[in-house]
């Protein structure tokens, strides 16, 4: 399963993440209890959930009302209080990671060591509730076991009043947190991305993409923001079943008719060593009925120039064909290690498993493992392959 977090139109905030995850199926009563109980260590709050429409988009609004004003607190004191909370360890540790991202961003912006940073807006009870509520919902839906892709964040524009005075939007902490992500200004003159929302997003996303990849949507959750605009102020989270992934590759080809078998074998290994995804050699008949070989190399764009340079130098070819930016379907894959007993001795074998839409389409043992077992046991390789299935 793949999860898409889509903040392209209205940015991201902690309560929007919670609302979207509740819309996807997280239990709002459990989340309310967790948020109010944990935030109480920093100041009393009240959490309510409401189904509302934002410009005709049905969404879930998580409202966190701060009933007590929290005093400023240093980063070390803040983290110590979080560590003492009665929470699942996974939720607690993930939440601390989120606060650490915010703390490091604040330290960089203000030019101070992390230990000297004071949490103002971020250390308040409602911000604590947003982070812990989001992470609790994340684990309750088992999203820790799914791939999460984030899309670019709309950060808004203009200025905003903070405890540090009037700051430009996005505020400096948000820019620091999103340095490895992608963001875009607008589409309104208002703050759309908060440090809390940006840090949660940065912590739980496995990958940032410019566009939604090839997916098969199953469920969509909408988390409403507090403000009203001319467009729907919602965060969208899409749950999808896995389909073949797609990436862009270059296909590099040239004809060879003058290299020995040993030289072709050397070239084959060298191209793989310097970054080719795949190399194939196909016998062909060339002009004047000469026998030759077609060298075909599949390469990520970043490795293209090195591979072309190596082919020119090793083959002396006068022309190389390049099919750039081709799209390749890629099955989801993982490597699983299993142990087999052969002649009374245990051997580890790694299997490459391929999936399409959650269904196993292939399960193949790695050749190097089979070769190692055959060499050690003295059993023919083909027999080893039959024994290990």
């Amino acid at each position: 399963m793949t999860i898409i977090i889509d903040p392209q139109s209205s940015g991201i905030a902690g309560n929007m993440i919670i609302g979207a995850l509740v819309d996807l199926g997280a239990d709002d009563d459990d989340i309310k209890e967790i948020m109010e109980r944990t935030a109480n260590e920093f100041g009393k709050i009240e959490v309510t959930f409401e189904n509302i429409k934002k410009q005709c988009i049905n969404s879930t609004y998580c409202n966190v009302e701060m009933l007590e004003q929290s005093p400023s607190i240093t980063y070390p004191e803040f983290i110590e209080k979080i560590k003492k909370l009665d929470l699942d360890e996974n939720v607690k540790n993930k939440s601390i990671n989120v606060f650490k991202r915010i703390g490091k961003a604040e330290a960089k912006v203000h030019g101070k060591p992390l230990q000297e940073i004071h949490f103002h807006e971020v250390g308040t009870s409602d911000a604590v509730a947003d982070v812990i509520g989001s992470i609790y919902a994340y684990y309750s839906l088992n999203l820790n076991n799914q791939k999460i892709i984030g899309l670019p964040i709309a950060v808004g524009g203009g200025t905003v009043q903070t405890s540090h005075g009037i700051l430009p939007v996005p505020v400096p902490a948000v820019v620091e947190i999103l340095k490895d992500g992608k963001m875009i200004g607008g589409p309104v003159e208002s703050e759309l991305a908060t440090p809390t929302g940006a840090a949660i997003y940065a912590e739980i996303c496995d990958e940032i993409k410019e566009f939604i990849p090839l997916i098969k949507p199953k469920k969509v959750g909408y988390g409403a923001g507090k403000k009203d605009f001319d467009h729907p102020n919602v965060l969208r989270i899409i749950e999808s079943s896995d389909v073949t992934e797609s990436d862009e590759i270059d296909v590099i080809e040239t004809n060879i008719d003058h290299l020995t078998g040993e030289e072709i074998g050397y070239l084959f290994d060298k191209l793989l060593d310097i970054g080719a995804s795949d190399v194939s050699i196909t016998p062909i008949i060339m002009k004047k009925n000469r026998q030759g070989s077609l060298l075909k190399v599949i390469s990520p764009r970043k490795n293209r120039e090195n591979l072309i340079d190596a082919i020119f130098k090793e083959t002396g070819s006068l022309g190389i064909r390049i099919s750039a930016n081709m799209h390749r379907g890629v099955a989801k894959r993982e490597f699983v290690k299993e142990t087999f007993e052969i002649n009374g001795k245990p051997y580890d074998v790694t299997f490459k498993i391929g999936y399409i839409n959650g269904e196993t389409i292939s399960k193949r043992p790695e050749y190097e493992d089979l070769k190692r077992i055959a060499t050690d046991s003295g059993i023919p390789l083909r027999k080893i392959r039959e024994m290990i299935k």
Side-chain angles (χ1 to χ4, degrees), residues 50-227:
E50 184 181 0
N51 186 264
I52 64 175
K53 283 185 169 58
K54 287 287 186 177
Q55 293 293 337
C56 297
I57 299 293
N58 198 46
S59 56
T60 298
Y61 177 53
C62 173
N63 182 51
V64 183
E65 184 178 355
M66 192 164 57
L67 304 179
E68 294 178 352
Q69 184 66 40
S70 305
S72 174
I73 187 171
T74 66
Y75 176 82
E77 293 170 332
F78 178 84
I79 294 300
E80 280 304 309
K81 292 185 73 171
I82 295 292
K83 288 180 177 179
K84 293 177 182 177
L85 293 175
D86 180 18
L87 279 173
D88 175 85
E89 287 301 312
N90 288 325
V91 174
K92 186 186 298 185
N93 292 334
K94 197 78 167 174
S95 298
I96 288 173
N97 288 345
V98 173
F99 289 117
K100 187 177 294 184
R101 287 178 181 272
I102 301 171
K104 287 182 176 179
E106 294 280 1
K108 179 68 181 297
V109 169
H110 299 300
K112 294 182 178 180
L114 181 59
Q115 305 306 312
E116 295 180 12
I117 288 297
H118 278 252
F119 273 1
H120 299 285
E121 286 92 346
V122 177
T124 55
S125 54
D126 55 344
V128 171
D130 280 348
V131 171
I132 293 177
S134 296
I135 300 303
Y136 178 85
Y138 162 87
Y139 277 105
S140 73
L141 293 175
N142 294 315
L143 299 190
N144 55 303
N145 294 320
Q146 313 305 329
K147 181 176 182 179
I148 299 184
I149 294 174
L151 300 182
I153 297 178
V155 294
T159 60
V160 63
Q161 180 68 49
T162 74
S163 60
H164 299 291
I166 298 176
L167 295 177
V169 172
V171 296
V174 167
V175 177
E176 285 296 323
I177 292 167
L178 296 180
K179 273 188 173 179
D180 292 327
K182 294 182 179 179
M183 65 182 188
I184 185 169
V188 293
E189 188 175 324
S190 181
E191 182 184 30
L192 296 184
T194 67
T196 301
I200 297 169
Y201 165 95
E203 177 64 25
I204 67 176
C205 286
D206 300 305
E207 187 178 355
I208 308 299
K209 286 184 175 288
E210 187 172 357
F211 302 111
I212 295 176
L214 180 63
I215 62 170
K216 188 176 183 180
K218 290 176 60 179
K219 295 171 64 178
V220 183
Y222 293 96
K226 184 175 183 179
K227 301 172 185 177

Side-chain angles (χ1 to χ4, degrees), residues 332-336 338 351-355 360-364:
K332 183 177 180 181
R333 66 196 71 179
E334 66 177 353
F335 292 89
V336 176
E338 297 182 15
F351 287 83
K352 181 190 289 185
I353 304 176
Y355 300 94
T360 301
I361 60 170
S362 68
K363 181 180 180 182
R364 300 170 185 166

Side-chain angles (χ1 to χ4, degrees), residues 312-330:
F312 272 127
K313 289 179 178 179
E314 297 294 339
T315 68
S317 174
L318 300 179
I320 295 175
R321 300 179 294 277
I322 303 169
S323 299
N325 301 326
M326 297 186 69
H327 290 270
R328 174 179 64 167
V330 182

Side-chain angles (χ1 to χ4, degrees), residues 277-292:
S277 298
D278 199 4
V279 179
S280 62
I281 309 287
T282 306
I284 59 173
I285 300 297
M286 303 172 63
K287 62 184 179 180
K288 299 182 181 181
N289 293 323
R290 296 199 314 273
Q291 291 186 337

